[in-house]
Amino acid sequence: MAAASARRPRLAVWKFASCDGCQLSLLDCEDELLMVAERIEIAYFPEAARRMLPGPYDLSLVEGSITTPADAERIQRVRRQSRRLVTIGACATAGGIQALRNFADIREYAAAVYPYPEYLETLATSTPISAHVPVDFELRGCPIDKGQLLEVIKAFLADRKPAVPGHSVCIDCKRRGNVCVMVASGTPCLGPVTHTGCGAICPSYDRGCYGCFGPVAGANTAALAKEFAALGVARRDIARLFQTFNAAAGAFRDEAERHGD
Amino acid sequence: MATRQHSILTIDGVAALLDALRRRGYRVIGPTVRDQAIVYDDITSLADLPRGWTDEQGAGRYRLARRDDDAVFGFAVGPHSWKKFLHSPAQRLWRTERSADGVRIIAEPVSAKPLAFVGVRSCELHAIAIQDRVLLEGAYPDQHYRARREAAFLVAVNCTEPGGTCFCASMNTGPKALGGYDLALTEIAAEGERRFAVDVGSAAGSGLLAELPHRAATPGETAAAEAAIAGATGRMGRAMPDADEVPALLRRNLDHPRWEEVADRCLTCGNCTMVCPTCFCTTVEDVASLDGSASEHVQHWDSCFTMDFSYLHGGSVRASPRSRYRQWMTHKLSTWWDQFGTSGCVGCGRCISWCPVGIDITEEVAAIRGSDSAARGREG
Ligand code: SF4
Ligand code: SF4
Ligand code: SF4
């Protein structure tokens, strides 16, 4: 093992357009947090510590999407200072719920929400970090799962690939012994096309999966949408099911568009 | 087959059976109503059994329903199978601890509490026998499975109410349990009460029955039990067409256009493999502590429908949904014979009911068979 005197790797946590929930997952690691702090120097984490050390950083965790011209430039600076850059959460990985603007006119939204929209400087779209800079690993979820976050940090410390599986939510749902809400109650569920991460929380409480972790690789959303229609879900509601936290993620975006007006 | 001498238990006899199992130190597991389905879970008394309940099943559809009588076992199989208990969805295998003296490897002890299963159907007895073959007869028997399996007490229940997706009759795996149990019950209604004709399948079964209030069956009761099972044979919701020929049929149709069509519908979600009582594949996840001082190695159910499953250096071997569905179905029905000398399918119908889009293994076989000239010729 590395000698105690070896320099601890330096961690930075960055926020772009987001709700802060994913960074909070790191603080939520209560039991493990002290151990993390022992192994890693928390050099820049404005949400948690007043002391902010300058870069370069060994590991940058990036939360949030790019929605302003200033942020589009800032992410370039973050990347230049970061040896490894990991995006955390649906915003950073897929554009987040705010990517609903991608399918509408941002000026109309701004006019409806702000009394003086002319003071806003914003982009027409919300885009994931990977649309702007190279990303070393994308951790999904709205919010991310703290167990997976710890795994990413542990993998970074051991210089190995994070063991984050890529199967559907259904696999976890069945491992838990849940009764399928689609089959037994006719409740629409995005589990079959959604990436694992949450441990199938919603179906465990008799609700359909909301797709917080975004589409699984090769998601057959068209076949699932057809089944939703057979269950009696209206066309507009099918589009809405796919248009939440991962609205701009490939397969979900395409399926919502196929069910547009 | 000669009719064996049955004994008869009343409903109180079934209650006494549950008590006797518990007294002997078994964890008693059986069918019970939970979350809109009949699942397998811990049973403490007769009241936990799904008395008066049944299920209505079709492709991608399961509905819990009330019966118009108070039958105790008047339903077919549900989302769970006994593999949940014998071949656990999550099983720690070993862990490590690092100290000044080096790394210590600690094997996971096998679980000690013996299990008693109440309500094991004939298809499920066959499925357990298949998992025995796979998990115990290879070069590396699964110690955890072995410990639970060898200690388990099985109370079978002959099917008298097959489901809409059942097809055991065409797979020669039911509805009557022919062996592999300790006791087998057949539920009949007589003189306004529920009675249970009992077959003894082992010395342990015989010993337990001796402790229960029972009497010899009348010829009428034995005939009623046989008739109830025979009636079930004729009421299966589905059938596997020409089951004996299916291994060869699939072998010569690996490039059939039907694989592409089913792949268009398949979500590759893996539900069919999770609910299948014979599917046995697992993956092992290694979990290390932050400081690298300890690790755990946990086996989880896995599925040939995931991309990770066939991932080798550079990518997944079975990247297309077509290749994954074909792998699953040809293994179940064809290459399982080459590998283990039996079918990998017992006709329980779970994969049909619990597929969110209702893909039906019997229908897929029928479609391939329908355009196979050799199979059509045999009909001629
Ligand atoms: S409830 Fe949803 S996640 Fe669970 S098995 Fe059914 S479709 Fe999959
Ligand atoms: S056949 Fe059905 S249950 Fe199986 S992977 Fe395909 S969609 Fe899922
Ligand atoms: S393949 Fe389907 S019908 Fe056959 S044993 Fe498995 S779940 Fe049951």
Side-chain angles (χ1 to χ4, degrees):
Chain A
M1 226 183 293
S5 63
R7 186 182 73 85
R8 283 177 303 164
R10 298 164 55 121
L11 175 77
V13 182
W14 306 92
K15 175 183 160 62
F16 288 81
S18 59
C19 77
D20 291 31
C22 290
Q23 334 182 16
L24 284 175
S25 303
L26 184 55
L27 294 178
D28 195 28
C29 290
E30 297 159 1
D31 295 344
E32 301 89 348
L33 196 59
L34 284 178
M35 221 193 269
V36 171
E38 254 170 43
R39 317 279 307 167
I40 287 186
E41 179 177 15
I42 298 178
Y44 181 88
F45 188 2
E47 178 130 340
R50 214 169 310 158
R51 189 186 66 153
M52 289 179 248
L53 301 174
Y57 309 100
D58 296 290
L59 175 62
S60 275
L61 301 177
V62 178
E63 178 195 89
S65 67
I66 304 298
T67 56
T68 66
D71 275 356
E73 280 172 28
R74 185 161 64 98
I75 189 62
Q76 301 294 337
R77 292 198 297 277
V78 168
R79 177 70 261 195
R80 279 197 295 275
Q81 300 177 76
S82 310
R83 187 158 71 83
R84 291 277 162 75
L85 187 154
V86 172
T87 60
I88 55 169
C91 300
T93 301
I97 187 106
Q98 59 273 29
L100 285 174
R101 69 165 67 178
N102 301 9
F103 314 103
D105 186 341
I106 183 66
R107 283 167 309 186
E108 280 177 24
Y109 276 174
V113 175
Y114 297 100
Y116 301 104
E118 57 276 20
Y119 291 118
L120 288 182
E121 201 183 359
T122 187
L123 297 169
T125 55
S126 167
T127 43
I129 301 302
S130 63
H132 300 265
V133 296
V135 169
D136 295 296
F137 190 79
E138 293 186 313
L139 194 59
R140 293 143 163 265
C142 183
I144 54 168
D145 172 78
K146 72 174 190 180
Q148 289 196 336
L149 177 62
L150 281 172
E151 168 58 19
V152 165
I153 293 172
K154 286 188 267 191
F156 169 78
L157 287 170
D159 205 16
R160 61 170 170 80
K161 229 177 96 182
V164 174
H167 55 245
S168 69
V169 170
C170 294
I171 300 265
D172 294 312
C173 193
K174 283 288 186 290
R175 285 174 179 168
R176 279 179 85 143
N178 290 345
V179 174
C180 176
V181 302
M182 274 269 281
V183 169
S185 327
T187 305
C189 178
L190 287 175
V193 296
T194 298
H195 192 283
T196 173
C198 64
I201 297 174
C202 290
S204 306
Y205 292 93
D206 207 17
R207 305 169 75 156
C209 164
Y210 292 95
C212 306
F213 282 67
V216 72
N220 189 353
T221 50
L224 186 62
K226 220 168 143 189
E227 190 62 29
F228 289 168
L231 291 175
V233 185
R235 188 181 163 80
R236 184 184 163 80
D237 293 330
I238 293 177
R240 283 185 168 161
L241 279 169
F242 287 102
Q243 273 189 331
T244 59
F245 328 104
N246 290 281
F252 284 9
R253 179 197 58 218
D254 296 349
E255 203 50 49
E257 273 173 5
R258 277 197 285 273
H259 287 79
D261 320 300
Chain B
M1 196 180 41
T3 313
R4 265 183 285 180
Q5 176 62 50
H6 289 303
S7 302
I8 291 286
L9 291 179
T10 61
I11 191 80
D12 296 334
V14 174
L17 169 68
L18 300 178
D19 287 343
L21 287 168
R22 223 185 357 269
R23 267 201 316 277
R24 291 186 177 207
Y26 287 104
R27 176 183 165 200
V28 183
I29 299 164
T32 192
V33 171
R34 193 187 83 203
D35 299 338
Q36 307 299 316
I38 298 168
V39 301
Y40 294 153
D41 213 333
D42 291 85
I43 297 295
T44 50
S45 74
L46 208 53
D48 291 332
L49 294 175
R51 193 165 185 191
W53 289 98
T54 190
D55 48 46
E56 290 161 5
Q57 302 195 39
R61 191 184 152 88
Y62 179 104
R63 288 294 181 277
L64 188 65
R66 275 281 179 197
R67 293 180 60 87
D68 51 17
D69 62 18
D70 61 349
V72 180
F73 296 106
F75 53 89
V77 294
H80 291 168
S81 72
W82 306 102
K83 88 171 174 183
K84 178 180 165 198
F85 303 98
L86 292 172
H87 181 48
S88 176
Q91 171 67 58
R92 186 160 72 183
L93 299 177
W94 51 285
R95 57 195 182 83
T96 66
E97 278 171 11
R98 191 204 298 268
S99 65
D101 313 327
V103 175
R104 204 158 70 91
I105 295 177
I106 303 137
E108 183 71 6
V110 297
S111 64
K113 182 99 177 160
L115 304 170
F117 299 156
V118 175
V120 186
R121 306 307 178 122
S122 176
C123 62
E124 302 185 302
L125 291 169
H126 282 85
I128 291 171
I130 288 172
Q131 289 217 324
D132 287 352
R133 167 81 183 82
V134 173
L135 297 171
L136 298 180
E137 290 178 29
Y140 305 99
D142 180 327
Q143 301 307 329
H144 299 281
Y145 181 88
R146 185 204 294 282
R148 296 191 193 107
R149 178 69 180 95
E150 285 178 352
F153 188 97
L154 304 190
V155 180
V157 165
N158 287 314
C159 278
T160 52
E161 195 71 72
T165 56
C166 289
F167 58 101
C168 68
S170 61
M171 298 303 286
N172 283 321
T173 51
K176 185 181 164 105
L178 298 179
Y181 55 79
D182 294 294
L183 292 174
L185 312 181
T186 310
E187 182 170 8
I188 53 172
E191 293 157 10
E193 63 168 26
R194 311 307 301 182
R195 291 183 191 160
F196 302 85
V198 189
D199 272 312
V200 171
S202 73
S206 157
L208 195 83
L209 180 62
E211 284 179 25
L212 310 176
H214 68 284
R215 60 168 170 83
T218 64
E221 284 167 334
T222 300
E226 292 300 329
I229 301 169
T233 307
R235 282 186 287 124
M236 302 266 148
R238 280 169 167 71
M240 180 61 77
D242 208 2
D244 293 346
E245 291 303 316
V246 170
L249 172 77
L250 296 184
R251 223 167 19 242
R252 62 176 180 266
N253 279 292
L254 294 176
D255 293 315
H256 196 284
R258 183 72 185 193
W259 299 118
E260 203 58 67
E261 291 164 35
V262 69
D264 280 347
R265 299 171 56 212
C266 175
L267 308 168
T268 65
C269 59
N271 276 305
C272 45
T273 56
M274 296 283 122
V275 294
C276 179
T278 71
C279 274
F280 56 84
C281 285
T282 52
T283 184
V284 175
E285 274 176 27
D286 306 321
V287 188
S289 67
L290 254 169
D291 60 359
S293 67
S295 67
E296 307 196 282
H297 307 266
V298 185
Q299 176 178 283
H300 296 278
W301 286 354
D302 203 1
S303 168
C304 51
F305 278 97
T306 76
M307 291 286 267
D308 295 344
F309 187 80
S310 68
Y311 187 91
L312 298 178
H313 173 77
S316 292
V317 175
R318 288 190 282 268
S320 70
R322 170 183 181 272
S323 63
R324 279 177 274 159
Y325 186 86
R326 187 180 63 179
Q327 155 64 27
W328 176 70
M329 193 170 119
T330 55
H331 192 210
K332 290 276 109 169
L333 297 175
S334 182
T335 52
W336 205 290
W337 283 98
D338 308 325
Q339 196 179 2
F340 301 115
T342 66
S343 169
C345 172
V346 297
C348 72
R350 285 184 180 86
C351 58
I352 306 172
S353 297
W354 298 97
C355 170
V357 294
I359 291 173
D360 175 346
I361 190 170
T362 64
E363 188 184 314
E364 294 312 305
V365 167
I368 290 176
R369 194 169 172 277
S371 61
D372 179 89
S373 48
R376 277 212 314 272
R378 284 161 40 81
E379 243 147 47

